[in-house]
Every structure is written in C-alpha cells, then in structure tokens.
Amino acid sequence: MAIVVIALVALVAVAVLGGAHWYVWRRLVRDTTRAWGPARVTGTVVLIAGPVLMIAALAAERGGAPFWLQRVLGWPGFLWMALVIYLLLAVLAGEVLRPLLRRFLERRGRAGTAVEETAVEETERPAPEAGPSRRLFVSRVVGGAAAAAAVGTVGYGTYGVLRGPGVKRVTVPLAKLPRSAHGFRIAVVSDIHLGPVLGRGFAQKVVDTINSTQPDLIAVVGDLVDGSVKNLGPAAAPLAGLRARHGSFFVTGNHEYFSGAEQWLEEVRRLGIHTLENARTELPGFDLAGVNDIQGESEGQGPDFGKALGDRDATRACVLLAHQPVQIHEAVKHNVDLQLSGHTHGGQLWPGNFIAAAANPTVAGLERYGDTELYVSRGAGAWGPPTRVGAPSDITIVELASKQA
C-alpha cells in the first residue's frame, strides 16, 4: 500500500512539474516565435534540459553520487529550480498585463487609422512594412519582461547568498538572568548547508563574520552540511577557527541525519566545537542546553528533553538550542527561558515563507510562547538553490538582558 501511495505522489509531482514547464514553454517560446527556427529550438532545449538537470542534481545529492558529479550537476540543476519558480510567477503575472497591453495597442491603432482617414490623400499610401502581428508583439514584450524579471530576481538572490550572511542583532530580556550575565552575547548561526554548491570559501566567510562580532558564545543550531564527512570535511575545516570566550556549541539538524550524524558529531568535536546531544552545561549566569533534532528519531537518537533539562535548577535561566521551531512546545513544558532555532530559512524563496508559516510556529524573528521566548534565525546558507528572495541570510547576535539590571 505504501508503495502505491509513493508512486501516486511521484506521478502527481511529475505531472505538476511537467505541466508547469509546458506552460512556461508555451508562453515564453511557442507564443514568441513564428516557427521551428533557431530561437524556438534553443528555448525548447533549455526548457527540457533545465528540469532534467534539476532532478539529476536532487537525485545525485540524495543518492550519494560521486561528489564531483554532485558538484557538476549542483549549480545548473539547483539554479534552475529557483529560476523556474520565478519564470512561472512572472508568466502568471504577465497574464494580467497581456490583455491590457493588447487593448492599449488596439486603441492606439484605431486612433492612428482615424487620423489617416481624415488626411487629404494626394499621394499613394506606401505599402506597410512586414512585421510581427500585434498578438506576437504583445507575447514578445510580456515574455521578455517575464524572463528578465525572473533572471534578475534569481541573480540578485544568488549574489546575496554568495557574498555571505549579514549580522542581525536582537536583545532578549530574561527574568531569571542575574546582573552578572547582563549583556552576554550569543552568536547564533544555523543552516549553513555546506555541500556541492556552498563549500570551504563560504564556510570561511561565515567564520570571519562571526569572529568579527567578538561574541561570548557561538551556537551552531543544526543543518551544517549536506553530505558526508569524506566529501565535506575539507569544506567544514574553517570552523576550527571559530573564537568565543565561552566556546562554540553544536546541535544536530535534520540534514545531519541524511549525511551521517554520528560521523559529523565526531568531526565537529575534532574541530573544537562542543556538541550538546540531549545534554546541558552550566555557564556563568545561566544553563545552556541542547536537544537532538526530531529527524534523529529515525535512528533512535531523537530529542530527549527530560535528559537535557529534567534535573536542572529551575531558579537559573536556561537557554536551549533546538534546530526546529516546533520544539518550542516541549521547551515551554520544561520551563526554558529562551529557545534558539533555525530550520525555516525564513522561507528562503518567496512565497515559500507562507509554506514555512504553515509548518512552523515562527518563521523568523523573536516571539513569546507562555514564559518562553523563541528566536528563529533565517540561517546563513541555503538548501538547494544558492538563492534567497525575500529572506536574506543572517547570523544573529542575541544579547541577553537581565531584568534585574
């Protein structure tokens, strides 16, 4: 039965993907060209090769293909994933503009004809020059604008990721935080997603940005990698350069369990980063705890809030590292003062923020749940397309404030 359901879902996904590409081809290629000349052939080849490369890139990453092949397929395949989204949105928007532009041209044409008919016809009117019909002209104008808008959007969104994350600052007052810990600064970084596209150079940018803020503590809140230690160990090596007065701490995200969580936990420790695997440590002024990601349940290593928080001194403030915002409900039950999360990417590609909002209590930023504050970072990197639209990447400096101060 499960196989049948999976097959039906796959069939629907292929049908939707094929239908979307056919629609984009029809509006951008067929409707803007007269016949099967070079332009139509080139457009058709692009709109066939794009989805093939996209599916191949996804299959190579998830299937553990040779890393060189993942890198070859990653850039064109994942960029097409972003590009086709905005081509589709732009073409749909063009459906609104198309009749308006056609009506404007028709009115202008009628006005021109009326002027000509009232003119004195003393000379023979020259034969009109051959050119595209009004419908073809409108299709080319709307199609060209749609393509330019999509390419510009994806290009700018990709540039935003590759130049590295910006620094965001937020202050969080905690009732139990003593005066001595007032102003304690935690650099929160999540969803770096080192992989076939974002590699060692990107990791170094993240490290340099964090170190430039001179934080008291660094929290790496999951989804560090998309691949094995064998393939991505060199890419993650710059993380050994992270510097903070009270050290760096790491909890797993869901993608670690797709990439060999045990090996990555060992590698992270080798890089000098402390791992919090359903564990807690006491820092001056507050407790720092961390729980495994929910995906770990598939390997018998899921989150255990009782183990991480069960026997702690409840009079002390507690900051919890948990990759997914949905873990906030357990955090509230265990009297956590502040949960730091990632996972959502802020939606990454608009309008993905609406989808993320349906699956997460908070998509990005600071919100309060009972007596517990939840801060969700949009993340430093990107999964799939190295592109962000409407959800710029960030590293957040969370400054703890004592209400006693």
Side-chain angles (χ1 to χ4, degrees):
M1 184 63 180
I3 296 176
V4 173
V5 172
I6 293 172
L8 287 174
V9 170
L11 187 61
V12 170
V14 169
V16 170
L17 185 65
H21 279 83
W22 176 84
Y23 173 62
V24 171
W25 172 84
R26 177 189 165 191
R27 283 309 196 192
L28 295 187
V29 179
R30 192 195 71 175
D31 290 355
T32 60
T33 55
R34 284 186 177 275
W36 283 98
R40 182 174 290 190
V41 170
T42 300
T44 302
V45 169
V46 169
L47 279 159
I48 291 175
V52 170
L53 286 169
M54 180 178 71
I55 293 171
L58 285 167
E61 183 187 88
R62 291 296 184 182
F67 194 59
W68 66 265
L69 182 59
Q70 293 184 44
R71 297 183 69 178
V72 167
L73 294 171
W75 274 101
F78 288 130
L79 280 177
W80 181 260
M81 185 187 297
L83 184 59
V84 76
I85 291 172
Y86 292 103
L87 284 173
L88 182 60
L89 290 173
V91 169
L92 287 169
E95 299 294 0
V96 177
L97 299 176
R98 191 181 301 274
L100 297 177
L101 180 57
R102 191 178 301 150
R103 193 173 302 126
F104 169 76
L105 292 175
E106 287 173 355
R107 287 178 179 175
R108 189 172 181 180
R110 285 196 297 267
T113 301
V115 171
E116 288 181 2
E117 288 175 349
T118 58
V120 179
E121 298 183 4
E122 295 181 351
T123 59
E124 185 178 351
R125 189 177 299 170
E129 295 181 2
S133 68
R134 183 176 290 128
R135 184 182 296 273
L136 182 59
F137 175 76
V138 169
S139 292
R140 287 178 175 176
V141 170
V142 174
V151 171
T153 298
V154 172
Y156 184 74
T158 302
Y159 167 74
V161 170
L162 297 183
R163 72 182 173 184
V167 176
K168 183 179 178 181
R169 298 178 186 275
V170 61
T171 299
V172 183
L174 299 180
K176 298 177 186 176
L177 193 73
R179 287 173 178 264
S180 59
H182 180 75
F184 192 99
R185 293 175 304 118
I186 303 174
V188 181
V189 58
S190 72
D191 303 279
I192 299 174
H193 285 288
L194 299 177
V197 175
L198 300 177
R200 185 185 180 101
F202 184 76
Q204 189 63 59
K205 287 181 182 179
V206 170
V207 169
D208 292 343
T209 301
I210 292 173
N211 287 346
S212 70
T213 67
Q214 298 182 326
D216 296 307
L217 182 145
I218 299 167
V220 184
V221 197
D223 279 8
L224 172 63
V225 291
D226 286 304
S228 66
V229 172
K230 176 184 176 182
N231 292 333
L232 294 174
L239 296 174
L242 288 171
R243 296 289 179 265
R245 187 157 56 101
H246 292 281
S248 303
F249 294 83
F250 173 81
V251 293
T252 55
N254 54 310
H255 282 245
E256 269 70 58
Y257 294 97
F258 306 142
S259 307
E262 287 295 335
Q263 290 80 9
W264 273 112
L265 286 165
E266 183 179 342
E267 180 68 8
V268 163
R269 287 191 289 268
R270 192 186 69 79
L271 294 172
I273 302 173
H274 306 287
T275 59
L276 290 173
E277 304 167 61
N278 297 322
R280 182 180 75 255
T281 185
E282 290 188 3
L283 296 172
F286 66 96
D287 292 341
L288 180 71
V291 291
N292 296 348
D293 184 72
I294 298 168
Q295 185 64 37
E297 293 174 353
S298 63
E299 301 180 13
Q301 300 173 3
D304 188 335
F305 286 81
K307 182 179 178 182
L309 301 166
D311 58 349
R312 74 181 189 87
D313 180 357
T315 64
R316 286 173 56 86
C318 179
V319 176
L320 174 70
L321 310 185
H323 178 64
Q324 297 196 38
V326 294
Q327 294 173 284
I328 185 63
H329 305 299
E330 285 295 324
V332 171
K333 292 178 183 177
H334 287 82
N335 300 312
V336 168
D337 297 276
L338 170 63
Q339 176 177 313
L340 302 174
S341 299
H343 183 63
T344 68
H345 297 204
Q348 186 168 329
L349 297 172
W350 183 92
N353 54 304
F354 296 109
I355 299 173
N360 296 277
T362 299
V363 174
L366 184 67
E367 284 195 57
R368 189 174 186 84
Y369 293 84
D371 294 327
T372 304
E373 300 280 1
L374 169 65
Y375 180 77
V376 181
S377 168
R378 289 189 297 254
W383 178 82
T387 310
R388 284 175 172 264
V389 177
S393 57
D394 69 57
I395 291 165
T396 304
I397 304 302
V398 174
E399 183 171 327
L400 305 182
S402 170
K403 290 187 177 180
Q404 301 172 27

